[in-house]
């Protein structure tokens, strides 16, 4: 067991590790079926648990069930040591194409029954719609989750990429424990209205994309695998990537000065934003997990924070974080 800090998820909520493992890349988005390595992914989940991570993040649509099946394998015989966060609602075809969202109450009840089977468990710790759907009142969606909580099938309610109004409306139906949203040096949209709202209501923030999908690691120079999400992402278009990597060069200088890696500094920056923030480490490899966990040992001085804010000022990073059809469903 490592010495990771524990935080409450939501005001007075359950204790979880302040860093969580994001499992998505083990199944999807950053490569394709041929680049998956299930054995290494399961070993990474076990290494995370061993290091003191208790929070594991997945979605039923990550690899169309593949990610949950990986977790099933990893949690076998030790379910109680894992706090599992599952997103649902995204509809996908067999080849991965996104077909929309379904967060109607009957869909909630349907999705969870499949997730429970795939995970091989009889409860999910944190359950959340992956995106709100303006066609379905959020009260209806979270009302269905609240019923699942009463039935013991779900422990806590979460939201993902939801704006201020949706957060407030959902919280009135059932206390929201956590809001998952992209947050990094390169993506600061959560600071405007989301963090003030979650802080007022006592909701934790689960920060995903803390490395801006690998950009801040300084290892992305183009040549992405076929089907890699980043090959459709404006932030990684050839022109934007070249310019964004100049910012990462400056991040590297700060990292070099501290004997750290750019990923460690980027993760430490997110983690330093508050006790109410749970930082997701998105990796499928043990070596990177070990590298990234050293972020817990890094303290940033005021001068370093000032310099990081200067480098990554509001308009510094070029390109939206999702292609236009994806931007329509996230906080902007
Ligand atoms: N709510 C939502 O809408 C939403 C959206 C996206 C993601 N998420 C969740 O958030 C988690 C984390 O976000 P993310 O994985 O998308 O983005 P991320 O953590 O910013 O970046 C992940 C990428 O960086 C690479 N990486 C990690 N550590 C590295 C290092 N030290 N050096 C070089 N490359 C490194 C990973 O590759 P390797 O695997 O090869 O290390 C992967 O390609 C996901 O796993 C998922 O659970 C939620």
């Amino acid at each position: 067991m490592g010495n990771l800090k524990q935080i409450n998820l939501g005001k007075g909520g359950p204790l979880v590790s302040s860093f969580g493992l994001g499992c998505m890349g083990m199944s999807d988005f950053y490569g394709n079926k041929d680049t998956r390595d299930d054995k290494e992914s399961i070993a990474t989940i076990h290494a995370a648990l061993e290091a003191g991570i208790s929070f594991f993040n997945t979605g039923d649509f990550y690899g169309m069930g593949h990610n949950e099946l990986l977790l099933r394998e990893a949690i076998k015989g030790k379910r109680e040591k894992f706090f599992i966060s599952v997103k649902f609602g995204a509809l996908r075809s067999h080849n991965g194409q996104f077909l929309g969202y379904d967060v109607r109450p009957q869909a909630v009840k349907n999705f969870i029954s499949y997730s429970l089977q795939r995970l091989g468990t009889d409860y999910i710790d944190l359950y959340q719609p992956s995106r709100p759907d303006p066609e379905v009142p959020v009260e209806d969606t979270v009302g269905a989750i609240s019923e699942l909580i009463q039935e013991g099938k779900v422990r806590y309610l979460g939201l993902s990429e939801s704006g201020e109004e949706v957060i407030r409306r959902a919280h009135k139906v059932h206390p929201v424990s956590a809001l998952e949203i992209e947050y990094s040096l390169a993506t600061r949209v959560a600071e405007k209205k989301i963090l003030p709202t979650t802080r007022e209501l006592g909701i934790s923030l689960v920060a995903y994309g803390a490395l801006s999908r690998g950009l801040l690691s300084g290892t992305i120079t183009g040549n992405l695998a076929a089907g890699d999400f980043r090959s459709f992402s404006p932030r990684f278009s050839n022109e934007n990537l070249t310019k964004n990597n100049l910012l990462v060069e400056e991040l590297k200088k700060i990292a070099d000065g501290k004997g750290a890696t750019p990923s460690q500094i980027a993760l430490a920056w997110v983690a330093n934003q508050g006790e109410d923030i749970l930082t997701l480490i998105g990796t499928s490899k043990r070596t990177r997990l070990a590298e990234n966990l050293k972020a817990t040992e890094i303290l940033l001085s005021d001068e370093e924070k000032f310099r990081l804010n200067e480098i990554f000022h509001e308009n510094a990073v070029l390109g939206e974080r999702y292609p236009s059809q994806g931007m329509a469903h996230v906080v902007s």
Side-chain angles (χ1 to χ4, degrees):
M1 190 75 173
N3 56 357
L4 266 177
K5 207 169 61 177
Q6 302 279 303
I7 57 167
N8 289 104
L9 198 72
K11 203 173 170 190
L15 276 177
V16 291
S17 52
S18 58
F19 280 78
L21 185 67
C23 301
M24 182 183 87
M26 297 173 179
S27 303
D28 219 340
F29 297 106
Y30 303 134
N32 53 48
K33 273 188 188 153
D34 302 330
T35 59
R36 278 180 194 161
D37 182 346
D38 291 356
K39 225 170 139 199
E40 178 60 19
S41 294
I42 290 170
T44 304
I45 295 171
H46 287 155
L49 188 69
E50 196 61 28
I53 287 184
S54 59
F55 188 100
F56 293 81
N57 194 59
T58 184
D60 60 10
F61 53 96
Y62 291 168
M64 290 75 81
H66 178 265
N67 209 236
E68 289 182 320
L69 291 170
L70 269 183
L71 266 171
R72 176 198 186 95
E73 202 52 37
I75 67 177
K76 229 178 239 170
K78 34 183 174 264
R79 169 68 183 95
E80 70 292 346
K81 294 187 173 159
F82 289 79
F83 188 99
I84 301 178
S85 167
V86 180
K87 284 180 295 303
F88 67 88
L91 306 175
R92 301 184 73 186
S93 71
H94 63 88
N95 61 8
Q97 189 193 352
F98 276 87
L99 305 169
Y101 295 94
D102 193 348
V103 294
R104 295 170 303 150
Q106 60 268 48
V108 176
K109 303 272 173 89
N110 172 75
F111 282 131
I112 194 163
S113 48
Y114 289 83
S115 280
L116 292 170
Q117 288 298 323
R118 277 189 295 259
L119 286 163
T121 182
D122 53 11
Y123 68 95
I124 286 168
D125 298 281
L126 184 69
Y127 202 49
Q128 46 195 30
S130 62
R131 299 286 181 268
D133 179 352
E135 301 297 320
V136 179
V138 69
E139 288 82 357
D140 294 358
T141 308
V142 302
I145 301 177
S146 171
E147 283 173 29
L148 291 168
I149 292 174
Q150 281 156 34
E151 290 170 38
K153 294 296 164 198
V154 170
R155 294 260 158 96
Y156 301 97
L157 167 67
L159 293 174
S160 166
E161 287 289 350
S162 301
E164 185 191 352
E165 190 205 328
V166 167
I167 300 170
R168 288 187 187 282
R169 282 169 50 195
H171 199 65
K172 275 190 190 147
V173 176
H174 189 97
V176 177
S177 297
L179 172 83
E180 191 172 311
I181 191 166
E182 187 162 356
Y183 190 31
S184 72
L185 277 166
T187 304
R188 310 283 285 269
V189 65
E191 289 173 354
K192 289 183 189 150
K193 290 186 183 157
I194 303 301
L195 265 172
T197 306
T198 52
R199 286 187 168 149
E200 178 197 323
L201 300 175
I203 298 170
S204 293
L205 196 110
V206 173
Y208 80 78
L211 296 183
S212 188
R213 321 265 186 168
L215 173 73
L216 300 174
S217 71
T219 60
I220 314 268
T221 51
N223 297 325
L224 295 158
D228 190 309
F229 159 83
R230 293 166 293 199
S231 60
F232 323 107
S233 167
R235 190 163 284 181
F236 292 87
S237 72
N238 284 341
E239 198 192 341
N240 288 340
L241 182 61
T242 305
K243 290 183 182 149
N244 290 336
N245 270 339
L246 295 177
L247 306 175
V248 178
E249 281 304 315
E250 295 303 308
L251 169 65
K252 265 187 193 160
K253 285 182 195 160
I254 295 179
D256 286 347
K258 291 178 82 72
T261 67
S263 300
Q264 289 164 350
I265 301 294
L267 288 161
W269 182 87
V270 175
N272 267 277
Q273 299 306 306
E275 293 284 310
D276 54 344
I277 294 185
L278 189 153
T279 310
L280 290 179
I281 293 177
T283 189
S284 53
K285 298 178 181 67
R286 282 171 288 180
T287 48
R288 280 172 171 178
L289 173 71
E291 174 191 335
N292 294 348
L293 273 173
K294 293 220 173 83
T296 56
E297 295 160 20
I298 291 175
L299 270 182
L300 296 170
S301 67
D302 288 344
E303 203 183 324
E304 286 159 348
K305 286 184 207 159
F306 182 82
R307 179 70 190 124
L308 286 167
N309 280 328
E310 231 177 20
I311 301 165
F312 292 95
H313 65 81
E314 196 170 347
N315 302 313
V317 177
L318 299 180
E320 302 265 40
R321 58 196 181 105
Y322 282 94
S324 56
Q325 61 276 31
M327 283 306 294
H329 299 280
V330 296
V331 178
S332 56

